[in-house]
């Protein structure tokens, strides 16, 4: 029996699993599509039902691939997609959302994010997001790569307080948000989606992560993901195009790391003691 995945409650009151799946780079190469679809489906089978994509990924082909992976099981999945900042005008946001829905062949995106800040005024983007939500084309909206000052600006525009998530770079090696952005979001019950949770694979060779993984007969990826699942209101979205690695990532929920080993990880990856500008990949 698998340990269940912890959940995170969105501002609207619905809960989603704290471990989902990323799709950056999926759909780039046709010969890989079969494995990519199979790995997303293996994740859904195991309860990793938050699937994160974007109009940017593989120029829309990632969304097409997600559409194929969830065909026939839409109701099981919580679909997240993102609008390019240069499309995020009042009209452009709605048109981009329509294109994303068509590519995925679905009627609603559960959470639609502004991918990063651009030149369109936040008030315009929020107005578009709110109207998409009213029309039922999206379930909720959020942002990505927003630091505390961006979030404060967002909350000050009409409707801005309805933001449902902020997706940012967060992993053991990138702990800057723990100083301010993470507690800021936690205090306001705004979930943080942690992208690149295993630092695109680069964390997996760190000697301390390897040492701790061995001590628990676990893998470095499981240690990196367990670190994120310890945090309140954090949803990790590792990407893997291998069903076997997806299953491995899913099993991170069974890891029970001791206080002593968390302290060893803190020593190897010290939490911030001052403000760090938000990092991006
Ligand atoms: N909002 C944003 O600006 C933004 C930016 C970056 C990412 N994201 C989102 O966050 C998702 C995750 O981030 P990411 O794709 O950058 O990086 P990631 O999830 O940290 O790492 C993905 C890489 O790690 C490998 N991998 C996954 N599980 C593994 C395991 N158990 N053992 C060994 N290698 C493993 C994958 O290879 P295989 O596929 O071969 O397994 C892939 O090369 C993205 O896919 C995307 O959806 C959002």
């Amino acid at each position: 029996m698998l340990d269940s995945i912890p959940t995170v409650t969105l501002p609207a009151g619905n809960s989603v699993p704290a471990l989902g799946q990323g799709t950056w780079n999926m759909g780039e190469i046709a010969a890989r599509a079969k494995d990519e679809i199979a790995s997303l489906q293996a994740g859904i089978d195991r309860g990793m039902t938050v699937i994160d994509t974007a109009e940017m990924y593989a120029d829309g082909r990632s969304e097409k691939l997600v559409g194929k992976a969830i065909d026939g099981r839409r109701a099981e999945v919580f679909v997240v997609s993102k609008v390019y900042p240069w499309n995020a005008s009042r009209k452009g946001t709605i048109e981009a959302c329509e294109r994303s829905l068509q590519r995925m062949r679905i009627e609603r995106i559960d959470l639609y994010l502004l991918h990063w800040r651009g030149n369109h005024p936040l008030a315009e983007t929020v107005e578009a997001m709110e109207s998409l939500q009213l029309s039922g084309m999206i379930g909720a909206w959020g942002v990505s790569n927003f630091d505390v000052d961006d979030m404060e600006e967002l909350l000050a525009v009409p409707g801005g307080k309805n933001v449902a998530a902020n997706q940012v770079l967060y992993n053991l090696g990138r702990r800057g948000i723990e100083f301010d952005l993470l507690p800021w979001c936690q205090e306001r019950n705004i979930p943080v989606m942690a992208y690149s949770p295993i630092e695109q694979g680069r964390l997996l060779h760190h000697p301390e992560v390897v040492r701790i993984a061995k001590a628990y007969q676990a893998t470095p990826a499981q240690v990196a993901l367990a670190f994120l699942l310890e945090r309140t209101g954090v949803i990790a979205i590792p990407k893997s195009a291998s069903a076997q690695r997806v299953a491995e990532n899913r099993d991170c929920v069974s890891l029970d790391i001791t206080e002593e080993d968390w302290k060893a990880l803190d020593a190897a990856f010290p939490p911030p003691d001052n403000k760090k500008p938000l990092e991006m990949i």
Side-chain angles (χ1 to χ4, degrees), residues 28-195:
E28 293 275 3
I29 297 168
R32 289 197 195 139
K34 203 166 144 246
D35 286 345
E36 290 167 346
I37 290 172
S39 64
L40 288 174
Q41 291 174 338
I44 300 170
D45 293 341
R46 288 169 175 75
M48 296 160 76
T49 50
V50 173
I51 298 190
D52 179 76
T53 184
E55 63 171 328
M56 177 181 117
Y57 301 163
D59 225 356
R61 294 192 307 283
S62 166
E63 289 183 326
K64 282 191 177 161
L65 188 121
V66 168
K68 286 185 186 150
I70 67 174
D71 191 27
R73 52 196 310 190
R74 170 69 186 94
E76 288 173 66
V77 180
F78 187 85
V79 176
V80 184
S81 192
K82 313 183 197 80
V83 58
Y84 268 129
W86 47 88
N87 284 340
S89 62
R90 173 77 181 76
K91 192 160 161 265
T93 306
I94 290 164
E95 289 168 354
C97 182
E98 278 165 354
R99 289 193 297 270
S100 290
L101 288 169
Q102 274 162 19
R103 282 191 287 263
M104 290 188 272
R105 291 182 292 148
I106 58 177
E107 287 180 358
R108 190 176 97 129
I109 291 169
D110 297 298
L111 177 63
Y112 196 44
L113 309 178
L114 170 61
H115 208 148
W116 64 90
R117 270 197 88 164
N119 295 331
H120 290 293
L122 285 178
E124 249 195 65
T125 310
V126 171
E127 203 188 322
M129 291 290 195
E130 292 275 294
S131 88
L132 283 171
Q133 193 174 347
L134 260 180
S135 69
M137 287 162 69
I138 65 173
W141 64 267
V143 292
S144 177
N145 297 300
F146 269 44
D147 208 341
V148 173
D149 52 349
D150 301 308
M151 291 301 283
E152 280 173 344
E153 220 180 299
L154 176 67
L155 262 54
V157 309
K161 290 194 174 62
N162 294 331
V163 60
N166 184 13
Q167 185 177 119
V168 293
L169 175 61
Y170 183 33
N171 63 46
L172 256 178
R174 310 263 199 169
R175 298 184 64 172
I177 69 163
E178 289 177 19
F179 186 76
D180 53 355
L181 182 62
L182 181 59
W184 190 96
C185 288
Q186 286 168 331
E187 278 157 27
R188 290 161 183 80
N189 292 318
I190 301 170
V192 167
M193 296 184 76
Y195 76 68

Side-chain angles (χ1 to χ4, degrees), residues 21-26 52-54 56-57 82 113 115-116 144-145 167-169 171 194-202 204 219 221-222 225 237-242 244-246 248-249 280-281:
Q21 306 186 75
T23 65
W24 195 11
N25 292 323
M26 286 193 182
D52 179 76
T53 184
M56 177 181 117
Y57 301 163
K82 313 183 197 80
L113 309 178
H115 208 148
W116 64 90
S144 177
N145 297 300
Q167 185 177 119
V168 293
L169 175 61
N171 63 46
Y195 76 68
S196 307
I198 59 170
E199 186 67 22
Q200 302 186 322
R202 291 181 292 275
L204 308 182
T219 67
Q222 290 171 336
L225 294 172
I237 46 167
K239 174 260 167 187
S240 178
S242 142
Q244 200 187 327
R245 284 191 286 280
V246 167
E248 174 192 325
N249 293 345
M280 276 176 80
I281 285 187

